[in-house]
Amino acid sequence: MLFFALNGSQTLGARAAAAGGFAVAAHEERDFQGGEHKSRPLVSVRGRDVLVLHSLHGDGVASANDKLVRLLFFLATCREHGAARITAIVPYLAYSRKDRQTKPQDPVSSRYVAQLLEAVGVELVMTFEVHNLAAFQNAFRCRTVHLATQDFFAAHIAAQNSEARLAVVSPDAGGVKRAQLLREALEARIGGEVSFGLMEKRRSAGLVSGSLFAGEVKDRVVYIVDDMICGGGTVLRAARAVRDHGGRSIHVLAPHGLLEAQTFQDFCASGVIDSVTVTDSVAPLAHLPAEPPDWFRILGCAPLIADAIDAVHRGQEISLSVACAPELVDNRQ
């Protein structure tokens, strides 16, 4: 097996390699005038099982488009030089949110990304908590592996709460299944009942509306779960509704922390959120303050990725069980 981590994803790649007990193979990336580049493995890939990790988020240095092209070219280079099998490990998969047509002449960008990956010879795509699992699986014709986070976050919540009454809330209708899976995993872990809540949300032309809230959150420790945080408006709306309905404390969970600088300011100014927890799937965060606030936490997802890599390479089933609480990581490096 050869495991590569492209520039911009080296930190997560190094963590995954350390967790799995394998090496990160050497590669080269060079930039040229005019915005062009080349990349190549510095070891022979002929006849090898090649896995390439790259998270496709814009980070202030490279856009999602830049990273996608660099990943595609590197994967194609490995195929060109005789790799036996190519796996793309994409913790954050760009354009997965645009998975259906909502207006006339709309694109279905998630399917186009799938076609690009397949065109360069990828045989397996592994990703971490996509926006819509059904749309992700239907977009690809090659094999896919989806690493869900319900057990991962359930272990974290259980470690933080030994006696408290708990609730899980979805900030919109599209995230109900994700929240329900987390609720079920949490109930199985703590051996008790966890209540559920749902916030109404409608989006049109960039404007978000909807104020209806359903669920039992009074006097409970509430966890609002979404697939990602960008501007933060969606979870802030849900947090205010939970607070209005008597939530004891409010915590936000999201696998992908695509937070903007303004997001941190808005969360601080809101006064309704007690903590925000994301993973290092998009490490390092471009807008993470030099001194992150105490309420902001980052959990390492490298052990999940490492276990999945080992299972894929050995041709085994992938287990998503988490034996212990995920560990906090420092994402400023």
Side-chain angles (χ1 to χ4, degrees):
M1 182 184 82
L2 284 176
F3 172 74
F4 296 92
L6 300 190
N7 292 356
S9 297
Q10 305 102 314
T11 300
L12 180 57
R15 289 173 181 160
F22 48 82
V24 179
H27 80 288
E28 176 190 45
E29 295 184 45
R30 293 179 57 193
D31 295 324
F32 299 102
Q33 292 180 339
E36 298 179 13
H37 84 284
K38 83 165 188 178
S39 58
R40 65 187 178 110
L42 294 179
V43 294
S44 174
V45 299
R46 186 165 302 278
R48 305 293 289 274
D49 184 8
V50 172
L51 301 96
V52 183
L53 183 146
H54 204 24
S55 205
L56 303 181
H57 61 290
D59 59 10
V61 176
S63 69
N65 301 329
D66 293 331
K67 291 186 175 183
L68 176 60
V69 168
R70 287 173 182 264
L71 175 62
L72 290 169
F73 283 9
F74 190 82
L75 294 168
T77 301
C78 291
R79 174 61 72 194
E80 178 83 11
H81 292 283
R85 183 177 69 170
I86 298 177
T87 297
I89 306 169
V90 192
Y92 174 71
L93 182 61
Y95 297 105
S96 65
R97 284 176 282 182
K98 191 53 186 170
D99 54 23
R100 61 192 178 95
Q101 296 173 341
T102 57
K103 288 181 169 48
Q105 288 80 55
D106 251 6
V108 185
S109 304
S110 61
R111 190 173 76 238
Y112 310 153
V113 170
Q115 291 170 337
L116 288 169
L117 288 166
E118 291 163 354
V120 298
V122 170
E123 295 172 60
L124 188 152
V125 174
M126 182 190 303
T127 193
F128 189 66
E129 197 64 61
V130 293
H131 183 67
N132 183 314
L133 178 57
F136 165 72
Q137 292 174 332
N138 288 329
F140 285 87
R141 297 297 173 264
C142 67
R143 183 186 171 199
T144 59
V145 171
H146 178 253
L147 303 181
T149 56
Q150 61 265 18
D151 290 330
F152 183 78
F153 280 132
H156 170 69
I157 296 171
Q160 305 298 311
N161 302 274
S162 57
E163 302 294 338
R165 301 168 67 205
L166 303 176
V168 172
V169 169
S170 175
D172 55 39
V176 165
K177 186 62 176 178
R178 180 179 297 104
Q180 287 177 334
L181 289 173
L182 174 59
R183 177 193 183 192
E184 292 168 4
L186 186 55
E187 287 181 331
R189 185 168 288 271
I190 67 174
E193 180 184 359
V194 177
S195 65
F196 184 78
L198 169 64
M199 183 70 192
E200 177 193 21
K201 173 186 169 183
R202 297 189 299 274
R203 185 191 297 273
S204 179
L207 298 177
V208 176
S209 61
S211 59
L212 297 178
F213 179 84
E216 180 53 58
V217 296
K218 184 175 176 59
D219 297 326
R220 293 178 183 266
V221 176
V222 179
Y223 286 85
I224 301 171
V225 60
D226 208 349
D227 61 319
M228 65 183 70
I229 306 174
C230 297
T234 295
V235 293
L236 272 176
R237 290 175 63 255
R240 292 188 179 102
V242 169
R243 185 70 75 190
D244 291 342
H245 286 77
R248 172 178 151 191
S249 62
I250 302 170
H251 308 271
V252 175
L253 301 170
H256 306 298
L258 306 174
L259 290 84
E260 303 170 356
Q262 185 63 43
T263 310
F264 284 97
Q265 300 175 26
D266 292 344
F267 283 167
C268 286
S270 72
V272 296
I273 293 177
D274 293 280
S275 75
V276 175
T277 302
V278 299
T279 78
D280 56 349
S281 67
V282 294
L285 295 177
H287 302 295
L288 187 64
E291 292 296 331
D294 292 339
W295 49 261
F296 183 72
R297 302 162 186 168
I298 303 170
L299 299 179
C301 64
L304 282 180
I305 295 174
D307 287 348
I309 288 172
D310 182 69
V312 165
H313 178 60
R314 296 176 184 275
Q316 299 172 342
E317 290 295 322
I318 293 176
S319 172
L320 300 180
S321 61
V322 178
C324 59
E327 295 184 355
L328 295 173
V329 299
D330 183 351
N331 210 41
R332 288 171 290 179
Q333 53 187 299

